[in-house]
Amino acid sequence: MYQPELETLPRETLRTLQGERLKRIVAYVYARVPFYRHLMDEAGIGPEAVRGLEDLPRFPFTKKDHLREHYPFGLFAVPREEVARIHASSGTTGKPTVVGYTKKDLGVFAEVVARSLAAAGARPGMMLHNAYGYGLFTGGLGLHGGAEALGMTVVPVSGGMTERQLMLIQDFRPEVISCTPSYAQTLAEEFRKRGVAPEELSLEYAVLGAEPWTEAIRKQVDEGLGVRSTNIYGLSEIIGPGVANECVEERQGSHIWEDHFLPEVVDPQTGEPLPEGKVGVLVFTTLTKEALPLLRYWTGDLTFLTREPCSCGRTHVRMGPILGRTDDMLIIRGVNVYPTQVEAVLLGIPEVEPYYQIVVRREGTLDEAELKVEVSERFFQEIGKKALSDEVIEADHRLHALREKVAHKVKDTIGVTVKVSLLAPGEAPRSEGGKLRRVLDLRKA
Ligand code: ADP
Ligand code: ZN
């Protein structure tokens, strides 16, 4: 562990610390951020009204739109001169939101990323191949700072230029890699194509995040790169990557660094706090941030929390995998669908791979969903590597049956009718460095 005393704080002590920090941050934003002063005045909550964690649900949520309305620096709690660095969200869903850090915030950022890397298996002296994008995106510089704090050797490769990445991994022999899970898939696949076996690679651990992924992808990456991969979670508004990380021992949920970020899970419709274990929207209150403190920030990410003790000894609450983000949710003929649900279905079908794309169109008044999915290399061999056109599929009973099987499983599990297109290995979109968009919603176009 990077900070054993803090990472194993008894839960009671942690709670007391959170309560104290919450009181402080509420008074801080009330005094410094006009947006929060108005919000609290309107809700009839004075800063002195907060006695502890139990008062948190009285506060309204802060949403992405609030940040956009105050673009670029309107929610900052310090004068611009005290802001040491600016980042922006990658803008996966609309206009980017701008975030800022004081020197102290950057210290906290490095600290939580160092904890995350250590939880993932990294040790001082190991080398990190950091393939997260550098720039306004928080991934690159975020991992970089944490790795330096931990005492690693950092290779700031950034995303993209896959050929060069493969070479550097072979020549420099890093033990740890950080990137998006979809890019780790790409790297694993490219090594395989070149006949480089996982045993020849020096990599031992992979720290993957910034987009949803599943156990199917984990298996593929672990086997393809010869690593034990863990999930890193975060978002720019709260700090960046390193809000939470899985421990490499268990890999059963990501420990949220709770002395800095206070999590809640609430009902997506009503906003009411949900009991432990129930899936809802993840909401964070920053407890120590100076430049951009946020109260009850609505992440839009869906998951659950568990406070069950973990064998790694860390006492910090764990969050489950992100099942989707509310703005990623597709409504197809009235049925709510998340890409990760589709992926989970594909995982249960050996003839296909978790490389897919969902295309939604409006035909007249009806939504039509097409699921394009790659068949496995082995199945492709078996059918004689035919071009997978509609005519070929209709004419070959194995292809036809596979198409039906995928459509049925999706219908049975998720309740939505999809048209299935089979793709040859390598035909579905791949990550070229950053986040991969698996959904193409043409209804909005
Ligand atoms: P953007 O909203 O533009 O993508 P960020 O780059 O700040 O902005 O990305 C944060 C978002 O990325 C999170 O809210 C979440 O939806 C997603 N994300 C980050 N880490 C993970 C992860 N480990 N698993 C699933 N989703 C993640
Ligand atoms: Zn653990």
Side-chain angles (χ1 to χ4, degrees), residues 64 88-94 96-97 137-138 208-213 231-237 240 254 299-301 319 321-325 327 435:
K64 208 179 184 83
S89 84
S90 46
T92 311
T93 54
T97 35
F137 174 52
T138 48
L208 311 178
E211 64 186 9
W213 54 308
N231 182 50
I232 186 164
Y233 169 83
L235 64 164
S236 321
E237 295 89 326
S254 307
T299 65
D301 293 327
M319 55 182 265
I322 301 295
L323 304 168
R325 42 162 91 182
D327 37 5
K435 304 192 191 210

PDB file of all heavy atoms in Angstrom, residues 64 88-94 96-97 137-138 208-213 231-237 240 254 299-301 319 321-325 327 435, ligand 1:
ATOM      1  N   LYS A  64     -23.613  18.206 -14.462  1.00  0.00           N
ATOM      2  CA  LYS A  64     -22.688  18.633 -15.519  1.00  0.00           C
ATOM      3  C   LYS A  64     -23.135  19.966 -16.126  1.00  0.00           C
ATOM      4  O   LYS A  64     -22.308  20.819 -16.444  1.00  0.00           O
ATOM      5  CB  LYS A  64     -22.624  17.548 -16.590  1.00  0.00           C
ATOM      6  CG  LYS A  64     -21.310  17.505 -17.341  1.00  0.00           C
ATOM      7  CD  LYS A  64     -21.314  16.388 -18.377  1.00  0.00           C
ATOM      8  CE  LYS A  64     -19.966  16.278 -19.067  1.00  0.00           C
ATOM      9  NZ  LYS A  64     -18.965  15.497 -18.348  1.00  0.00           N
ATOM     10  N   ALA A  88      -9.691  19.307 -18.964  1.00  0.00           N
ATOM     11  CA  ALA A  88     -11.087  19.294 -19.406  1.00  0.00           C
ATOM     12  C   ALA A  88     -11.504  17.856 -19.607  1.00  0.00           C
ATOM     13  O   ALA A  88     -10.672  17.007 -19.930  1.00  0.00           O
ATOM     14  CB  ALA A  88     -11.242  20.083 -20.695  1.00  0.00           C
ATOM     15  N   SER A  89     -12.783  17.582 -19.404  1.00  0.00           N
ATOM     16  CA  SER A  89     -13.267  16.222 -19.638  1.00  0.00           C
ATOM     17  C   SER A  89     -13.125  15.946 -21.119  1.00  0.00           C
ATOM     18  O   SER A  89     -13.099  16.851 -21.943  1.00  0.00           O
ATOM     19  CB  SER A  89     -14.718  16.084 -19.214  1.00  0.00           C
ATOM     20  OG  SER A  89     -15.566  16.509 -20.246  1.00  0.00           O
ATOM     21  N   SER A  90     -13.040  14.663 -21.455  1.00  0.00           N
ATOM     22  CA  SER A  90     -12.765  14.331 -22.851  1.00  0.00           C
ATOM     23  C   SER A  90     -13.952  14.639 -23.757  1.00  0.00           C
ATOM     24  O   SER A  90     -13.860  14.527 -24.968  1.00  0.00           O
ATOM     25  CB  SER A  90     -12.342  12.878 -22.970  1.00  0.00           C
ATOM     26  OG  SER A  90     -13.200  12.066 -22.211  1.00  0.00           O
ATOM     27  N   GLY A  91     -15.077  15.038 -23.154  1.00  0.00           N
ATOM     28  CA  GLY A  91     -16.206  15.444 -23.985  1.00  0.00           C
ATOM     29  C   GLY A  91     -16.844  14.308 -24.741  1.00  0.00           C
ATOM     30  O   GLY A  91     -17.299  14.463 -25.849  1.00  0.00           O
ATOM     31  N   THR A  92     -16.872  13.127 -24.108  1.00  0.00           N
ATOM     32  CA  THR A  92     -17.474  11.961 -24.731  1.00  0.00           C
ATOM     33  C   THR A  92     -18.935  12.256 -25.056  1.00  0.00           C
ATOM     34  O   THR A  92     -19.460  11.802 -26.060  1.00  0.00           O
ATOM     35  CB  THR A  92     -17.397  10.747 -23.785  1.00  0.00           C
ATOM     36  OG1 THR A  92     -16.063  10.649 -23.311  1.00  0.00           O
ATOM     37  CG2 THR A  92     -17.753   9.467 -24.502  1.00  0.00           C
ATOM     38  N   THR A  93     -19.594  12.984 -24.179  1.00  0.00           N
ATOM     39  CA  THR A  93     -21.011  13.255 -24.386  1.00  0.00           C
ATOM     40  C   THR A  93     -21.265  14.756 -24.398  1.00  0.00           C
ATOM     41  O   THR A  93     -21.857  15.298 -23.489  1.00  0.00           O
ATOM     42  CB  THR A  93     -21.854  12.594 -23.279  1.00  0.00           C
ATOM     43  OG1 THR A  93     -21.339  13.032 -22.020  1.00  0.00           O
ATOM     44  CG2 THR A  93     -21.792  11.083 -23.351  1.00  0.00           C
ATOM     45  N   GLY A  94     -20.795  15.454 -25.418  1.00  0.00           N
ATOM     46  CA  GLY A  94     -21.090  16.869 -25.562  1.00  0.00           C
ATOM     47  C   GLY A  94     -19.893  17.756 -25.329  1.00  0.00           C
ATOM     48  O   GLY A  94     -18.742  17.333 -25.445  1.00  0.00           O
ATOM     49  N   PRO A  96     -16.926  19.847 -23.703  1.00  0.00           N
ATOM     50  CA  PRO A  96     -16.084  19.494 -22.554  1.00  0.00           C
ATOM     51  C   PRO A  96     -16.372  20.382 -21.350  1.00  0.00           C
ATOM     52  O   PRO A  96     -16.780  21.527 -21.505  1.00  0.00           O
ATOM     53  CB  PRO A  96     -14.666  19.721 -23.073  1.00  0.00           C
ATOM     54  CG  PRO A  96     -14.805  20.641 -24.227  1.00  0.00           C
ATOM     55  CD  PRO A  96     -16.147  20.371 -24.835  1.00  0.00           C
ATOM     56  N   THR A  97     -16.149  19.837 -20.164  1.00  0.00           N
ATOM     57  CA  THR A  97     -16.262  20.650 -18.967  1.00  0.00           C
ATOM     58  C   THR A  97     -14.859  20.912 -18.450  1.00  0.00           C
ATOM     59  O   THR A  97     -14.011  20.024 -18.459  1.00  0.00           O
ATOM     60  CB  THR A  97     -17.082  19.933 -17.894  1.00  0.00           C
ATOM     61  OG1 THR A  97     -16.813  18.541 -17.974  1.00  0.00           O
ATOM     62  CG2 THR A  97     -18.562  20.138 -18.104  1.00  0.00           C
ATOM     63  N   PHE A 137      -7.128  15.936 -21.481  1.00  0.00           N
ATOM     64  CA  PHE A 137      -7.664  14.733 -20.836  1.00  0.00           C
ATOM     65  C   PHE A 137      -6.850  14.437 -19.578  1.00  0.00           C
ATOM     66  O   PHE A 137      -5.624  14.532 -19.586  1.00  0.00           O
ATOM     67  CB  PHE A 137      -7.580  13.572 -21.845  1.00  0.00           C
ATOM     68  CG  PHE A 137      -7.960  12.230 -21.302  1.00  0.00           C
ATOM     69  CD1 PHE A 137      -9.167  12.043 -20.643  1.00  0.00           C
ATOM     70  CD2 PHE A 137      -7.112  11.141 -21.456  1.00  0.00           C
ATOM     71  CE1 PHE A 137      -9.519  10.788 -20.146  1.00  0.00           C
ATOM     72  CE2 PHE A 137      -7.459   9.887 -20.966  1.00  0.00           C
ATOM     73  CZ  PHE A 137      -8.662   9.724 -20.314  1.00  0.00           C
ATOM     74  N   THR A 138      -7.545  14.073 -18.504  1.00  0.00           N
ATOM     75  CA  THR A 138      -6.857  13.881 -17.218  1.00  0.00           C
ATOM     76  C   THR A 138      -6.041  12.585 -17.130  1.00  0.00           C
ATOM     77  O   THR A 138      -5.215  12.440 -16.230  1.00  0.00           O
ATOM     78  CB  THR A 138      -7.889  13.840 -16.067  1.00  0.00           C
ATOM     79  OG1 THR A 138      -8.943  12.947 -16.445  1.00  0.00           O
ATOM     80  CG2 THR A 138      -8.454  15.212 -15.769  1.00  0.00           C
ATOM     81  N   LEU A 208      -6.463  -0.323 -16.017  1.00  0.00           N
ATOM     82  CA  LEU A 208      -7.333   0.006 -17.143  1.00  0.00           C
ATOM     83  C   LEU A 208      -8.598   0.726 -16.697  1.00  0.00           C
ATOM     84  O   LEU A 208      -9.241   0.322 -15.732  1.00  0.00           O
ATOM     85  CB  LEU A 208      -7.726  -1.276 -17.891  1.00  0.00           C
ATOM     86  CG  LEU A 208      -6.586  -2.231 -18.250  1.00  0.00           C
ATOM     87  CD1 LEU A 208      -7.145  -3.469 -18.945  1.00  0.00           C
ATOM     88  CD2 LEU A 208      -5.555  -1.549 -19.124  1.00  0.00           C
ATOM     89  N   GLY A 209      -8.957   1.770 -17.433  1.00  0.00           N
ATOM     90  CA  GLY A 209     -10.181   2.489 -17.078  1.00  0.00           C
ATOM     91  C   GLY A 209     -10.521   3.555 -18.092  1.00  0.00           C
ATOM     92  O   GLY A 209     -10.027   3.530 -19.216  1.00  0.00           O
ATOM     93  N   ALA A 210     -11.359   4.480 -17.683  1.00  0.00           N
ATOM     94  CA  ALA A 210     -11.859   5.601 -18.488  1.00  0.00           C
ATOM     95  C   ALA A 210     -13.048   5.222 -19.355  1.00  0.00           C
ATOM     96  O   ALA A 210     -13.646   6.073 -19.998  1.00  0.00           O
ATOM     97  CB  ALA A 210     -10.766   6.248 -19.344  1.00  0.00           C
ATOM     98  N   GLU A 211     -13.404   3.948 -19.387  1.00  0.00           N
ATOM     99  CA  GLU A 211     -14.582   3.505 -20.135  1.00  0.00           C
ATOM    100  C   GLU A 211     -15.054   2.188 -19.520  1.00  0.00           C
ATOM    101  O   GLU A 211     -14.260   1.470 -18.908  1.00  0.00           O
ATOM    102  CB  GLU A 211     -14.238   3.313 -21.614  1.00  0.00           C
ATOM    103  CG  GLU A 211     -13.223   2.205 -21.835  1.00  0.00           C
ATOM    104  CD  GLU A 211     -12.736   2.077 -23.277  1.00  0.00           C
ATOM    105  OE1 GLU A 211     -13.048   2.933 -24.102  1.00  0.00           O
ATOM    106  OE2 GLU A 211     -12.031   1.095 -23.543  1.00  0.00           O
ATOM    107  N   PRO A 212     -16.329   1.856 -19.687  1.00  0.00           N
ATOM    108  CA  PRO A 212     -16.817   0.602 -19.111  1.00  0.00           C
ATOM    109  C   PRO A 212     -16.164  -0.606 -19.772  1.00  0.00           C
ATOM    110  O   PRO A 212     -15.862  -0.571 -20.954  1.00  0.00           O
ATOM    111  CB  PRO A 212     -18.317   0.625 -19.440  1.00  0.00           C
ATOM    112  CG  PRO A 212     -18.640   2.036 -19.765  1.00  0.00           C
ATOM    113  CD  PRO A 212     -17.391   2.623 -20.340  1.00  0.00           C
ATOM    114  N   TRP A 213     -15.938  -1.639 -18.991  1.00  0.00           N
ATOM    115  CA  TRP A 213     -15.422  -2.891 -19.545  1.00  0.00           C
ATOM    116  C   TRP A 213     -15.961  -4.042 -18.726  1.00  0.00           C
ATOM    117  O   TRP A 213     -16.566  -3.830 -17.678  1.00  0.00           O
ATOM    118  CB  TRP A 213     -13.903  -2.903 -19.642  1.00  0.00           C
ATOM    119  CG  TRP A 213     -13.101  -2.604 -18.405  1.00  0.00           C
ATOM    120  CD1 TRP A 213     -13.239  -1.528 -17.575  1.00  0.00           C
ATOM    121  CD2 TRP A 213     -12.014  -3.372 -17.887  1.00  0.00           C
ATOM    122  NE1 TRP A 213     -12.294  -1.574 -16.576  1.00  0.00           N
ATOM    123  CE2 TRP A 213     -11.532  -2.687 -16.739  1.00  0.00           C
ATOM    124  CE3 TRP A 213     -11.376  -4.553 -18.269  1.00  0.00           C
ATOM    125  CZ2 TRP A 213     -10.458  -3.157 -15.980  1.00  0.00           C
ATOM    126  CZ3 TRP A 213     -10.309  -5.013 -17.516  1.00  0.00           C
ATOM    127  CH2 TRP A 213      -9.856  -4.319 -16.377  1.00  0.00           C
ATOM    128  N   ASN A 231      -9.155  -2.435 -12.464  1.00  0.00           N
ATOM    129  CA  ASN A 231      -9.961  -1.308 -12.915  1.00  0.00           C
ATOM    130  C   ASN A 231      -9.568  -0.032 -12.177  1.00  0.00           C
ATOM    131  O   ASN A 231      -9.484  -0.014 -10.959  1.00  0.00           O
ATOM    132  CB  ASN A 231     -11.429  -1.630 -12.628  1.00  0.00           C
ATOM    133  CG  ASN A 231     -12.364  -0.532 -13.095  1.00  0.00           C
ATOM    134  OD1 ASN A 231     -12.274  -0.089 -14.237  1.00  0.00           O
ATOM    135  ND2 ASN A 231     -13.248  -0.085 -12.220  1.00  0.00           N
ATOM    136  N   ILE A 232      -9.334   1.039 -12.944  1.00  0.00           N
ATOM    137  CA  ILE A 232      -9.156   2.360 -12.335  1.00  0.00           C
ATOM    138  C   ILE A 232     -10.343   3.200 -12.768  1.00  0.00           C
ATOM    139  O   ILE A 232     -10.752   3.163 -13.918  1.00  0.00           O
ATOM    140  CB  ILE A 232      -7.803   3.012 -12.719  1.00  0.00           C
ATOM    141  CG1 ILE A 232      -7.595   4.315 -11.947  1.00  0.00           C
ATOM    142  CG2 ILE A 232      -7.678   3.241 -14.227  1.00  0.00           C
ATOM    143  CD1 ILE A 232      -6.155   4.819 -11.959  1.00  0.00           C
ATOM    144  N   TYR A 233     -10.929   3.922 -11.814  1.00  0.00           N
ATOM    145  CA  TYR A 233     -12.113   4.729 -12.125  1.00  0.00           C
ATOM    146  C   TYR A 233     -11.871   6.176 -11.721  1.00  0.00           C
ATOM    147  O   TYR A 233     -11.181   6.449 -10.737  1.00  0.00           O
ATOM    148  CB  TYR A 233     -13.342   4.196 -11.367  1.00  0.00           C
ATOM    149  CG  TYR A 233     -14.535   5.134 -11.445  1.00  0.00           C
ATOM    150  CD1 TYR A 233     -15.378   5.113 -12.544  1.00  0.00           C
ATOM    151  CD2 TYR A 233     -14.786   6.059 -10.432  1.00  0.00           C
ATOM    152  CE1 TYR A 233     -16.461   5.991 -12.637  1.00  0.00           C
ATOM    153  CE2 TYR A 233     -15.860   6.936 -10.514  1.00  0.00           C
ATOM    154  CZ  TYR A 233     -16.698   6.895 -11.617  1.00  0.00           C
ATOM    155  OH  TYR A 233     -17.761   7.764 -11.714  1.00  0.00           O
ATOM    156  N   GLY A 234     -12.472   7.072 -12.470  1.00  0.00           N
ATOM    157  CA  GLY A 234     -12.431   8.472 -12.074  1.00  0.00           C
ATOM    158  C   GLY A 234     -13.085   9.337 -13.117  1.00  0.00           C
ATOM    159  O   GLY A 234     -13.455   8.870 -14.188  1.00  0.00           O
ATOM    160  N   LEU A 235     -13.252  10.596 -12.784  1.00  0.00           N
ATOM    161  CA  LEU A 235     -13.791  11.551 -13.748  1.00  0.00           C
ATOM    162  C   LEU A 235     -13.189  12.917 -13.458  1.00  0.00           C
ATOM    163  O   LEU A 235     -12.854  13.220 -12.309  1.00  0.00           O
ATOM    164  CB  LEU A 235     -15.320  11.584 -13.700  1.00  0.00           C
ATOM    165  CG  LEU A 235     -16.035  12.054 -12.458  1.00  0.00           C
ATOM    166  CD1 LEU A 235     -17.489  12.364 -12.803  1.00  0.00           C
ATOM    167  CD2 LEU A 235     -16.007  10.979 -11.378  1.00  0.00           C
ATOM    168  N   SER A 236     -13.031  13.680 -14.515  1.00  0.00           N
ATOM    169  CA  SER A 236     -12.342  14.974 -14.409  1.00  0.00           C
ATOM    170  C   SER A 236     -12.937  15.841 -13.316  1.00  0.00           C
ATOM    171  O   SER A 236     -12.213  16.467 -12.546  1.00  0.00           O
ATOM    172  CB  SER A 236     -12.442  15.745 -15.721  1.00  0.00           C
ATOM    173  OG  SER A 236     -12.308  14.910 -16.812  1.00  0.00           O
ATOM    174  N   GLU A 237     -14.271  15.902 -13.264  1.00  0.00           N
ATOM    175  CA  GLU A 237     -14.932  16.807 -12.332  1.00  0.00           C
ATOM    176  C   GLU A 237     -14.526  16.527 -10.884  1.00  0.00           C
ATOM    177  O   GLU A 237     -14.440  17.444 -10.070  1.00  0.00           O
ATOM    178  CB  GLU A 237     -16.458  16.691 -12.456  1.00  0.00           C
ATOM    179  CG  GLU A 237     -17.003  17.150 -13.801  1.00  0.00           C
ATOM    180  CD  GLU A 237     -17.050  16.023 -14.836  1.00  0.00           C
ATOM    181  OE1 GLU A 237     -16.149  15.137 -14.814  1.00  0.00           O
ATOM    182  OE2 GLU A 237     -17.977  16.010 -15.661  1.00  0.00           O
ATOM    183  N   GLY A 240     -10.091  13.159 -11.674  1.00  0.00           N
ATOM    184  CA  GLY A 240      -9.518  12.448 -12.813  1.00  0.00           C
ATOM    185  C   GLY A 240      -9.433  10.974 -12.443  1.00  0.00           C
ATOM    186  O   GLY A 240     -10.074  10.546 -11.475  1.00  0.00           O
ATOM    187  N   SER A 254     -13.874  -1.724  -6.846  1.00  0.00           N
ATOM    188  CA  SER A 254     -12.782  -0.752  -6.732  1.00  0.00           C
ATOM    189  C   SER A 254     -12.918   0.034  -5.439  1.00  0.00           C
ATOM    190  O   SER A 254     -13.972   0.596  -5.151  1.00  0.00           O
ATOM    191  CB  SER A 254     -12.822   0.207  -7.920  1.00  0.00           C
ATOM    192  OG  SER A 254     -12.844  -0.525  -9.129  1.00  0.00           O
ATOM    193  N   THR A 299     -22.645  11.896 -11.232  1.00  0.00           N
ATOM    194  CA  THR A 299     -21.723  11.424 -12.277  1.00  0.00           C
ATOM    195  C   THR A 299     -22.466  10.867 -13.484  1.00  0.00           C
ATOM    196  O   THR A 299     -21.919  10.826 -14.575  1.00  0.00           O
ATOM    197  CB  THR A 299     -20.817  10.296 -11.762  1.00  0.00           C
ATOM    198  OG1 THR A 299     -21.644   9.157 -11.456  1.00  0.00           O
ATOM    199  CG2 THR A 299     -20.037  10.703 -10.518  1.00  0.00           C
ATOM    200  N   GLY A 300     -23.703  10.396 -13.270  1.00  0.00           N
ATOM    201  CA  GLY A 300     -24.414   9.720 -14.352  1.00  0.00           C
ATOM    202  C   GLY A 300     -23.966   8.272 -14.512  1.00  0.00           C
ATOM    203  O   GLY A 300     -24.529   7.535 -15.315  1.00  0.00           O
ATOM    204  N   ASP A 301     -22.953   7.842 -13.749  1.00  0.00           N
ATOM    205  CA  ASP A 301     -22.465   6.464 -13.842  1.00  0.00           C
ATOM    206  C   ASP A 301     -23.280   5.561 -12.925  1.00  0.00           C
ATOM    207  O   ASP A 301     -23.585   5.934 -11.794  1.00  0.00           O
ATOM    208  CB  ASP A 301     -20.990   6.394 -13.428  1.00  0.00           C
ATOM    209  CG  ASP A 301     -20.099   7.131 -14.411  1.00  0.00           C
ATOM    210  OD1 ASP A 301     -20.419   7.129 -15.615  1.00  0.00           O
ATOM    211  OD2 ASP A 301     -19.083   7.703 -13.968  1.00  0.00           O
ATOM    212  N   MET A 319     -16.779   0.077  -5.011  1.00  0.00           N
ATOM    213  CA  MET A 319     -17.860   0.238  -5.988  1.00  0.00           C
ATOM    214  C   MET A 319     -17.773  -0.902  -6.998  1.00  0.00           C
ATOM    215  O   MET A 319     -16.696  -1.398  -7.291  1.00  0.00           O
ATOM    216  CB  MET A 319     -17.756   1.592  -6.705  1.00  0.00           C
ATOM    217  CG  MET A 319     -16.422   1.852  -7.381  1.00  0.00           C
ATOM    218  SD  MET A 319     -16.330   3.490  -8.153  1.00  0.00           S
ATOM    219  CE  MET A 319     -16.802   3.077  -9.820  1.00  0.00           C
ATOM    220  N   PRO A 321     -18.475  -2.622 -10.868  1.00  0.00           N
ATOM    221  CA  PRO A 321     -18.148  -2.096 -12.197  1.00  0.00           C
ATOM    222  C   PRO A 321     -19.213  -1.095 -12.643  1.00  0.00           C
ATOM    223  O   PRO A 321     -20.345  -1.148 -12.175  1.00  0.00           O
ATOM    224  CB  PRO A 321     -18.168  -3.337 -13.090  1.00  0.00           C
ATOM    225  CG  PRO A 321     -18.951  -4.355 -12.349  1.00  0.00           C
ATOM    226  CD  PRO A 321     -18.823  -4.039 -10.895  1.00  0.00           C
ATOM    227  N   ILE A 322     -18.837  -0.186 -13.504  1.00  0.00           N
ATOM    228  CA  ILE A 322     -19.816   0.760 -14.057  1.00  0.00           C
ATOM    229  C   ILE A 322     -20.656   0.010 -15.089  1.00  0.00           C
ATOM    230  O   ILE A 322     -20.138  -0.510 -16.069  1.00  0.00           O
ATOM    231  CB  ILE A 322     -19.109   1.964 -14.724  1.00  0.00           C
ATOM    232  CG1 ILE A 322     -18.225   2.706 -13.724  1.00  0.00           C
ATOM    233  CG2 ILE A 322     -20.137   2.913 -15.353  1.00  0.00           C
ATOM    234  CD1 ILE A 322     -18.968   3.378 -12.596  1.00  0.00           C
ATOM    235  N   LEU A 323     -21.937  -0.048 -14.832  1.00  0.00           N
ATOM    236  CA  LEU A 323     -22.816  -0.808 -15.721  1.00  0.00           C
ATOM    237  C   LEU A 323     -23.203   0.023 -16.941  1.00  0.00           C
ATOM    238  O   LEU A 323     -23.735  -0.487 -17.916  1.00  0.00           O
ATOM    239  CB  LEU A 323     -24.060  -1.239 -14.958  1.00  0.00           C
ATOM    240  CG  LEU A 323     -23.716  -2.042 -13.698  1.00  0.00           C
ATOM    241  CD1 LEU A 323     -24.923  -2.212 -12.807  1.00  0.00           C
ATOM    242  CD2 LEU A 323     -23.131  -3.398 -14.067  1.00  0.00           C
ATOM    243  N   GLY A 324     -22.937   1.307 -16.875  1.00  0.00           N
ATOM    244  CA  GLY A 324     -23.236   2.197 -17.989  1.00  0.00           C
ATOM    245  C   GLY A 324     -23.324   3.592 -17.431  1.00  0.00           C
ATOM    246  O   GLY A 324     -23.233   3.777 -16.220  1.00  0.00           O
ATOM    247  N   ARG A 325     -23.408   4.568 -18.285  1.00  0.00           N
ATOM    248  CA  ARG A 325     -23.686   5.909 -17.781  1.00  0.00           C
ATOM    249  C   ARG A 325     -25.079   6.278 -18.275  1.00  0.00           C
ATOM    250  O   ARG A 325     -25.487   5.853 -19.342  1.00  0.00           O
ATOM    251  CB  ARG A 325     -22.620   6.924 -18.174  1.00  0.00           C
ATOM    252  CG  ARG A 325     -22.089   6.852 -19.587  1.00  0.00           C
ATOM    253  CD  ARG A 325     -21.414   8.151 -19.948  1.00  0.00           C
ATOM    254  NE  ARG A 325     -19.995   8.185 -19.657  1.00  0.00           N
ATOM    255  CZ  ARG A 325     -19.243   9.258 -19.875  1.00  0.00           C
ATOM    256  NH1 ARG A 325     -19.760  10.369 -20.329  1.00  0.00           N
ATOM    257  NH2 ARG A 325     -17.968   9.238 -19.631  1.00  0.00           N
ATOM    258  N   ASP A 327     -26.258   8.687 -19.641  1.00  0.00           N
ATOM    259  CA  ASP A 327     -26.355   9.260 -20.985  1.00  0.00           C
ATOM    260  C   ASP A 327     -25.898   8.286 -22.079  1.00  0.00           C
ATOM    261  O   ASP A 327     -25.952   8.593 -23.249  1.00  0.00           O
ATOM    262  CB  ASP A 327     -25.662  10.625 -21.113  1.00  0.00           C
ATOM    263  CG  ASP A 327     -24.392  10.737 -20.322  1.00  0.00           C
ATOM    264  OD1 ASP A 327     -23.982   9.721 -19.735  1.00  0.00           O
ATOM    265  OD2 ASP A 327     -23.809  11.826 -20.286  1.00  0.00           O
ATOM    266  N   LYS A 435     -10.751   6.391 -25.702  1.00  0.00           N
ATOM    267  CA  LYS A 435     -12.004   5.705 -25.403  1.00  0.00           C
ATOM    268  C   LYS A 435     -12.645   5.224 -26.706  1.00  0.00           C
ATOM    269  O   LYS A 435     -12.592   5.906 -27.716  1.00  0.00           O
ATOM    270  CB  LYS A 435     -12.976   6.656 -24.721  1.00  0.00           C
ATOM    271  CG  LYS A 435     -12.414   7.291 -23.461  1.00  0.00           C
ATOM    272  CD  LYS A 435     -13.514   7.992 -22.684  1.00  0.00           C
ATOM    273  CE  LYS A 435     -12.923   8.838 -21.577  1.00  0.00           C
ATOM    274  NZ  LYS A 435     -13.776   8.975 -20.419  1.00  0.00           N
TER     275      LYS A 435
HETATM  276  P1  ADP B   1     -16.059  12.346 -20.358  1.00  0.00           P
HETATM  277  O1  ADP B   1     -17.343  12.471 -19.576  1.00  0.00           O
HETATM  278  O2  ADP B   1     -15.903  13.382 -21.381  1.00  0.00           O
HETATM  279  O3  ADP B   1     -15.784  10.960 -20.828  1.00  0.00           O
HETATM  280  P2  ADP B   1     -13.874  12.043 -18.428  1.00  0.00           P
HETATM  281  O4  ADP B   1     -12.701  11.875 -19.306  1.00  0.00           O
HETATM  282  O5  ADP B   1     -13.705  12.798 -17.189  1.00  0.00           O
HETATM  283  O6  ADP B   1     -14.994  12.729 -19.261  1.00  0.00           O
HETATM  284  O7  ADP B   1     -14.407  10.607 -18.146  1.00  0.00           O
HETATM  285  C1  ADP B   1     -15.118  10.254 -16.979  1.00  0.00           C
HETATM  286  C2  ADP B   1     -16.111   9.195 -17.277  1.00  0.00           C
HETATM  287  O8  ADP B   1     -15.484   8.054 -17.888  1.00  0.00           O
HETATM  288  C3  ADP B   1     -16.787   8.640 -16.054  1.00  0.00           C
HETATM  289  O9  ADP B   1     -17.848   9.440 -15.620  1.00  0.00           O
HETATM  290  C4  ADP B   1     -17.242   7.280 -16.540  1.00  0.00           C
HETATM  291  O10 ADP B   1     -18.441   7.374 -17.279  1.00  0.00           O
HETATM  292  C5  ADP B   1     -16.127   6.866 -17.473  1.00  0.00           C
HETATM  293  N1  ADP B   1     -15.178   6.005 -16.748  1.00  0.00           N
HETATM  294  C6  ADP B   1     -14.016   6.351 -16.181  1.00  0.00           C
HETATM  295  N2  ADP B   1     -13.413   5.283 -15.617  1.00  0.00           N
HETATM  296  C7  ADP B   1     -14.215   4.232 -15.831  1.00  0.00           C
HETATM  297  C8  ADP B   1     -14.154   2.849 -15.490  1.00  0.00           C
HETATM  298  N3  ADP B   1     -13.127   2.336 -14.841  1.00  0.00           N
HETATM  299  N4  ADP B   1     -15.197   2.074 -15.860  1.00  0.00           N
HETATM  300  C9  ADP B   1     -16.239   2.585 -16.528  1.00  0.00           C
HETATM  301  N5  ADP B   1     -16.355   3.862 -16.887  1.00  0.00           N
HETATM  302  C10 ADP B   1     -15.358   4.693 -16.537  1.00  0.00           C
END
